[in-house]
Amino acid sequence: MSAQNQGWSKVEAVKSESRFLRGRIAEELGQDTSSFDENTALVLKHHGIYQQDNRDLRGRKDISEEGRAWIMMVRVKIPGGRLTCQQWLGLSRFAELWGNHTLRITTRQDIQFHGVLKKNLAALIRGIQDIGLTTLGGCGDVVRNVISCPAPIDDGGIRDQLYEDACRISRHFLPRGGAYEEVWRGEVKSQVELGPAEQVEPIYGTNYLPRKFKIAFALPDDNCTDIYADDLGFLGIVENGNLVGYQVLVGGGLGVTPADKSTFPALAQPVAFIRREELIPMAEAVIKLYRDHGNRSDRKRARIKYVLADWGMEKFRAELARYYGQELVPPPPVVAHRVDTHLGWHRQADERWFYGLYVESGRVADTATARMKTALEQICERLQPSIRLTATWRLLICDVEAKNRSLVESILRDHGVPLSEEISPLRHFSGACVALPTCGLAITESERALPGILDQLEAELARVGLTGMPICVHMTGCPNGCGRPYNAEVGIVGRAKDRYAIYLGGSVVGHRLGFLYQNLVPRDQVATVLGQVLEVYARLRSDGESFGDFCARLGAEGLRAAIQTG
Ligand code: HEM
Ligand code: SF4
């Protein structure tokens, strides 16, 4: 592979000239500036760091001459979302020292720090490394955090095996060029030691992948990781209580560029069955196929879903078999059919308990009304639980002795943190991407707007007699789809300042894409528009029919007709 290839995007040249992800990071870190050069920022993504600016302050000349207040987002990559108590306490402290005093749980079981100044970046990354965690590959054109259900449910050890496999995959696909250790710890590898690409990065080569690559593990009766939204998925096949292997799914990805009609959201599709021991060879085959055939000229069409769409399933499977070195076993006809939020108290296999805590859009903070961050620190200091992150923005407080359950609850209450049981099912299933003020791509509000919209939706549900109805609402501040709006029951997607596209008809399980119901709806009318649909849902739904199933059955035209006939 070579960046000299005709027509490749500029990012390809930056990667191939970066000496395996070193670029000018170390040099620029030593300079007394508040931001990195544009090309260095591209390399930095592979170290889990996004250069951003505070959008609330953009344009203010009293901040800087260019009117930008530069800040970094730092993403800690946590395979399967499992943390020790000490790691949680460490992260919580770092947010005070070097972040914006909050921790953001993401739908990839990462923890994000926001608002990190360039001068504090090295201290933060070293701190993260010192507690046994990494940001390497948190962002960038590599395998991102590998996700897997974190709940310590009494399931005969099935989820632990999925977790082991997720960690194996995660380790195997970490960048190997040594840039991370060199830049942040000063452990310098000489150019001689670096050697040719086949030795330094035998999987990725000099150009890494065409774009990001996401891998998820799930079980048919618990798709809390939303396996259908990932580039590569492993759906556990359990027979007689044993994990016999995986259904392999390929080609999920929700990002779209509305102006480019050749882009679209897609759900992952089953391509094969593998036994557990074939996991790494299969993952390597898929990733190498993507490395060689993904689009490196147009980053909007660089995901593996477009390789699959352009080739069709038959050719894709034939090519994959070539990379795999043997025939593919057809996938078993299994579909994920349930999602568990894991909220509230549940018994673990070892008789202890875990508590699924509702965290609004994953933001752990101390606010005027609820001091969740401090409450969690106290729970960690007094009970030493392990902490796990879900892929639905929530957090599990694990390994709690039965006798300490009331202490957990009282610490939360004393800090004004509502218990999950006091939160409506609508909120349990809902969440928003970060968007303003940190995300550079945000067109409009998301995380800061969702709570108000949910308040209004709760009122609409009460009005039509559906209080307590679980409906999954995902919101984003632009069409990129980070909050997974396109397969949710309700997707609210920012399209212009304070205007949103409303998608309907997806599902809680995430196995169906929604359709565009109405575009450019002003923010203050989103709940009203949805209220009209809820009204016909209350009237016309069949027994036990979910909101997503109902909308999918009627379609956009059917819903409009039903609303008109009142
Ligand atoms: C062109 C497509 C995309 C671009 C350029 C992009 C870029 C970004 C950026 C800049 C952030 C950081 C926001 C912040 O924390 O300040 C972010 C967050 C995130 N993105 Fe994306 N993204 C894209 C598509 C997607 C898609 C399709 C998914 C998943 C289906 C996704 C998953 C996430 C997640 C999980 C976060 C963390 C925040 C959260 O949980 O809401 N991204 N993305
Ligand atoms: S969906 Fe858009 S606004 Fe939201 S985090 Fe992703 S890129 Fe930013």
Side-chain angles (χ1 to χ4, degrees):
M1 281 181 296
S2 135
Q4 281 81 45
N5 282 357
Q6 289 284 315
W8 276 15
S9 74
K10 175 195 133 187
V11 179
E12 292 300 328
V14 173
K15 284 187 286 184
S16 69
E17 286 158 20
S18 74
R19 290 179 304 119
F20 302 104
L21 306 179
R22 285 161 177 77
R24 287 174 33 86
I25 302 175
E27 267 164 275
E28 291 185 31
L29 265 177
Q31 293 166 359
D32 184 19
T33 52
S34 62
S35 67
F36 293 93
D37 166 84
E38 199 185 323
N39 286 351
T40 309
L42 285 175
V43 181
L44 265 176
K45 287 186 187 177
H46 301 79
H47 296 235
I49 298 159
Y50 248 88
Q51 176 157 289
Q52 308 179 318
D53 69 303
N54 186 332
R55 304 274 306 267
D56 287 347
L57 303 178
R58 193 179 278 183
R60 276 187 31 191
K61 296 287 178 213
D62 54 325
I63 304 291
S64 71
E65 208 165 293
E66 51 192 345
R68 298 271 197 129
W70 295 105
I71 45 176
M72 311 289 152
M73 182 274 275
V74 174
R75 193 177 277 166
V76 188
K77 198 175 173 199
I78 305 162
R82 296 193 187 192
L83 291 169
T84 65
C85 170
Q86 290 309 322
Q87 287 173 331
W88 179 267
L89 284 170
L91 295 174
S92 196
R93 198 174 67 245
F94 300 162
E96 291 307 313
L97 288 172
W98 302 306
N100 71 350
H101 312 281
T102 74
L103 293 168
R104 179 64 151 68
I105 303 166
T106 81
T107 55
R108 290 210 73 74
Q109 298 178 305
D110 300 296
I111 285 288
Q112 284 187 186
F113 291 93
H114 289 105
V116 181
L117 299 177
K118 177 171 173 271
K119 64 177 186 196
N120 293 330
L121 196 55
L124 173 60
I125 302 288
R126 278 199 294 270
I128 291 167
Q129 292 174 342
D130 287 344
I131 55 172
L133 296 171
T134 187
T135 64
L136 178 60
C139 319
D141 297 344
V142 290
V143 170
R144 301 283 186 88
N145 196 34
V146 182
I147 59 177
S148 179
C149 173
I153 287 170
D154 185 1
D155 64 358
I158 298 292
R159 281 175 179 74
D160 283 342
Q161 293 176 64
L162 258 60
Y163 172 69
E164 272 167 33
D165 288 348
C167 290
R168 270 202 299 144
I169 293 253
S170 182
R171 277 193 302 272
H172 192 74
F173 292 104
L174 277 175
R176 300 179 192 176
Y180 194 61
E181 296 72 19
E182 181 176 316
V183 169
W184 307 104
R185 302 209 83 92
E187 294 164 11
V188 181
K189 269 195 185 175
S190 71
Q191 198 61 40
V192 181
E193 250 181 277
L194 272 177
E198 312 74 76
Q199 275 171 31
V200 183
E201 289 285 15
I203 301 170
Y204 289 134
T206 50
N207 281 64
Y208 295 82
L209 299 177
R211 267 207 63 197
K212 60 184 164 188
F213 196 86
K214 299 181 175 178
I215 304 180
F217 285 76
L219 292 165
D221 61 355
D222 185 4
N223 187 27
C224 66
T225 52
D226 202 352
I227 194 166
Y228 296 107
D230 282 60
D231 297 280
L232 175 59
F234 295 103
L235 190 63
I237 305 296
V238 180
E239 280 173 16
N240 304 320
N242 295 313
L243 179 66
V244 294
Y246 294 104
Q247 183 197 61
V248 182
L249 299 107
V250 175
L254 299 184
V256 264
T257 311
D260 182 344
K261 294 292 169 231
S262 70
T263 66
F264 47 82
L267 299 180
Q269 299 176 51
V271 294
F273 169 81
I274 52 160
R275 286 174 289 118
R276 272 187 85 192
E277 54 272 28
E278 293 159 338
L279 188 67
I280 299 281
M282 175 53 80
E284 258 198 35
V286 175
I287 286 165
K288 286 179 173 168
L289 179 154
Y290 171 56
R291 175 196 66 192
D292 297 346
H293 297 283
N295 189 331
R296 290 188 187 258
S297 309
D298 179 2
R299 289 181 65 81
K300 293 190 204 73
R301 279 200 111 245
R303 302 290 293 276
I304 198 170
K305 66 182 175 182
Y306 298 114
V307 179
L308 177 56
D310 293 348
W311 284 357
M313 185 54 94
E314 201 178 327
K315 177 174 174 194
F316 186 92
R317 287 189 82 241
E319 279 294 315
L320 180 57
R322 235 169 36 79
Y323 277 86
Y324 188 48
Q326 53 180 296
E327 287 283 295
L328 303 184
V329 177
V334 178
V335 180
H337 53 84
R338 229 185 118 252
V339 163
D340 200 326
T341 61
H342 303 301
L343 294 177
W345 284 111
H346 304 270
R347 193 193 287 273
Q348 302 179 178
D350 60 6
E351 298 292 306
R352 292 184 292 178
W353 293 77
F354 75 89
Y355 187 69
L357 180 66
Y358 171 77
V359 186
E360 192 168 70
S361 292
R363 182 73 65 178
V364 177
D366 282 352
T367 68
T369 48
R371 294 192 303 132
M372 180 181 281
K373 187 163 166 293
T374 303
L376 285 169
E377 281 174 4
Q378 273 197 17
I379 290 170
C380 283
E381 273 154 12
R382 293 182 63 176
L383 296 175
Q384 276 86 49
S386 67
I387 299 289
R388 299 189 186 183
L389 314 172
T390 75
T392 52
W393 292 288
R394 318 293 180 232
L395 171 153
L396 312 179
I397 303 166
C398 305
D399 310 328
V400 179
E401 304 284 347
K403 65 175 191 309
N404 290 327
R405 283 175 47 173
S406 55
L407 182 59
V408 170
E409 290 184 13
S410 63
I411 293 176
L412 290 171
R413 274 216 191 83
D414 289 349
H415 289 82
V417 179
L419 299 182
S420 305
E421 294 77 1
E422 296 157 11
I423 301 283
S424 70
L426 171 73
R427 287 185 133 86
H428 281 183
F429 284 99
S430 302
C433 77
V434 178
L436 295 173
T438 57
C439 178
L441 301 160
I443 298 172
T444 189
E445 297 286 346
S446 179
E447 183 182 330
R448 296 193 293 200
L450 185 66
I453 291 178
L454 292 179
D455 286 345
Q456 292 167 351
L457 274 180
E458 279 170 350
E460 289 295 328
L461 282 171
R463 183 176 66 81
V464 301
L466 291 177
T467 298
M469 180 62 69
I471 295 177
C472 152
V473 181
H474 286 190
M475 182 163 185
T476 60
C478 87
N480 280 338
C482 302
R484 301 200 305 248
Y486 303 112
N487 59 347
E489 289 184 294
V490 178
I492 305 173
V493 177
R495 293 301 310 275
K497 186 170 173 2
D498 278 329
R499 285 181 182 261
Y500 298 86
I502 296 181
Y503 289 80
L504 296 174
S507 70
V508 175
V509 184
H511 63 344
R512 187 176 57 219
L513 287 174
F515 53 82
L516 177 63
Y517 175 66
Q518 205 162 311
N519 205 354
L520 295 172
V521 180
R523 175 162 147 197
D524 57 7
Q525 282 169 40
V526 168
T528 317
V529 169
L530 289 171
Q532 294 170 344
V533 185
L534 288 170
E535 216 168 291
V536 294
Y537 170 58
R539 216 158 23 90
L540 303 177
R541 75 196 154 128
S542 44
D543 235 12
E545 190 176 31
S546 70
F547 184 62
D549 288 352
F550 173 79
C551 292
R553 175 163 68 82
L554 267 69
E557 288 315 312
L559 289 173
R560 279 189 205 107
I563 290 168
Q564 296 231 308
T565 53

